[in-house]
């Protein structure tokens, strides 16, 4: 597929996805959503790709959210089953996805970041769910993910005021994992990705799936059922499950195969 609104680069087991509409601060429209749906379908289904990093083109914006000018001009709206950017309703991907937020992350852009497992933000990054200022609401997951990630009162404070939050405050609130100097978000996110890639991808996927499924039930039920989760069963049946203890006993780095 020819990509018009994004770029994809593969660095070993890491897929780097760049939202690429810099002329509109990487705001997304329908065609971009469907393109990104395919991009993340390909990543999810590729056994050689273990981790994804998402960032924005240029040095000003990660993603400014929904392309309101496109919408106001009568452009059609909508996205595929994966949601905004092919990510916000993607609940079946057990591979880690990291947001490298290099600038503005507004509305749907912030919702993309919240849908990722980690957020690495440059000092110039700004986050907000400003939809109420234009008569909309953050219905691509923001209204539900933000309270779950930082607590109800703090999330209400952001959502009801539609205020902008700096990278530093985002770190203090707990939705940002690391703040780095301007221009270094992608480099730092790749550092996180490379650290994750030193672990067994089977273990990482089992861990992510267990966390996601466990959050939807009681602690007692999560612990009782976790060994029945598909990714956990796949881990136990994998070559990596044998390789890890063997490498440890032989005092050598493990050679993960991801199966």
């Amino acid at each position: 597929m020819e990509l018009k609104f994004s770029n994809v680069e593969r660095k070993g087991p890491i897929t780097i996805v760049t939202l690429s509409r810099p002329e509109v601060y990487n705001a997304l429209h329908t065609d971009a959503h469907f393109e990104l749906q395919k991009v993340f379908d390909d990543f999810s289904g590729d056994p050689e790709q273990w981790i994804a990093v998402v960032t924005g083109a240029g040095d000003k914006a990660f993603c400014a959210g929904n392309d309101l000018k496109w919408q106001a001009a009568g452009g059609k709206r909508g996205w595929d089953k994966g949601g905004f950017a092919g990510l916000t309703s993607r609940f079946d991907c057990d591979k880690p996805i990291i947001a490298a937020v290099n600038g503005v992350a507004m509305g749907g852009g912030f919702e993309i970041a919240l849908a990722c497992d980690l957020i690495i933000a440059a000092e110039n990054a700004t986050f907000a769910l400003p939809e109420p200022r234009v008569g909309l609401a953050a219905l691509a997951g923001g209204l539900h993910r933000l309270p779950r990630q930082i607590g109800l009162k703090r999330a209400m404070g952001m959502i009801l005021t539609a205020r902008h939050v700096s990278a530093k405050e985002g770190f203090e609130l707990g939705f940002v994992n690391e703040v780095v100097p301007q221009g270094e978000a992608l480099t730092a996110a790749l550092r996180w990705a490379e650290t994750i890639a030193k672990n067994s991808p089977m273990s990482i996927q089992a861990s992510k799936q267990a966390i996601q499924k466990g959050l939807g039930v009681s602690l007692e039920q999560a612990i009782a059922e976790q060994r029945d989760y598909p990714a956990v069963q796949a881990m136990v049946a994998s070559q990596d499950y044998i390789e890890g203890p063997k490498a440890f006993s032989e005092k050598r780095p493990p050679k993960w195969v991801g199966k």
Side-chain angles (χ1 to χ4, degrees):
M1 179 181 67
E2 180 183 358
L3 300 178
K4 297 181 179 179
F5 311 111
S6 63
N7 296 309
V8 176
E9 177 187 355
R10 292 180 176 85
K11 185 178 180 182
I14 302 167
T15 295
I16 304 168
V17 179
T18 303
L19 312 177
S20 188
R21 299 188 75 218
E23 70 281 1
V24 289
Y25 288 79
N26 301 319
L28 302 179
H29 56 10
T30 300
D31 292 344
H33 293 312
F34 276 84
E35 177 176 299
L36 288 161
Q37 172 77 32
K38 181 63 167 57
V39 165
F40 285 108
D41 282 348
D42 289 348
F43 162 71
S44 183
D46 187 343
E48 301 300 320
Q49 294 300 293
W50 300 349
I51 307 157
V53 175
V54 187
T55 193
D59 58 1
K60 295 180 179 179
F62 173 71
C63 175
N66 181 40
D67 189 341
L68 294 177
K69 291 183 178 179
W70 168 274
Q71 180 180 338
K76 61 182 180 178
R77 295 193 64 195
W79 44 68
D80 208 336
K81 60 185 179 180
F84 199 94
L87 276 180
T88 60
S89 294
R90 185 178 293 273
F91 297 105
D92 59 353
C93 181
D94 300 318
K95 300 177 181 180
I97 302 175
I98 303 172
V101 181
N102 54 311
V104 170
M106 296 290 167
F110 188 19
E111 290 175 295
I112 295 170
L114 289 171
C116 294
D117 300 296
L118 302 173
I119 298 178
I120 312 305
E123 291 174 333
N124 63 310
T126 307
F127 302 88
L129 294 175
E131 284 85 349
R133 294 185 180 180
V134 292
L136 303 174
L139 298 177
L143 297 180
H144 305 290
R145 283 193 170 96
L146 192 60
R148 285 167 166 80
Q149 293 182 22
I150 68 172
L152 179 60
K153 297 301 185 186
R154 286 179 291 184
M156 282 290 195
M158 284 188 64
I159 293 166
L160 299 184
T161 63
R163 70 184 183 89
H164 292 192
V165 167
S166 68
K168 180 177 181 293
E169 186 178 357
F171 180 79
E172 292 168 350
L173 288 170
F175 65 78
V176 170
N177 293 87
E178 182 181 2
V179 180
V180 297
Q182 183 172 350
E184 296 184 17
L186 179 57
T187 299
L190 288 171
R191 169 169 46 80
W192 280 78
E194 288 162 0
T195 302
I196 294 170
K198 293 178 181 178
N199 302 310
S200 164
M202 304 299 291
S203 298
I204 293 297
Q205 291 169 38
S207 298
K208 177 176 173 177
Q209 187 178 97
I211 291 168
Q212 290 182 319
K213 288 182 176 294
L215 285 173
V217 299
S218 70
L219 176 61
E220 181 181 3
Q221 184 177 345
I223 293 174
E225 295 179 350
Q226 61 185 352
R227 292 188 178 276
D228 295 326
Y229 297 157
V232 174
Q233 291 186 333
M235 175 192 71
V236 173
S238 71
Q239 295 177 42
D240 285 358
Y241 195 70
I242 299 171
E243 168 64 8
K246 184 178 180 182
F248 179 83
S249 67
E250 295 174 356
K251 298 181 180 181
R252 61 173 174 80
K255 298 178 181 178
W256 306 123
V257 295
K259 59 183 179 179

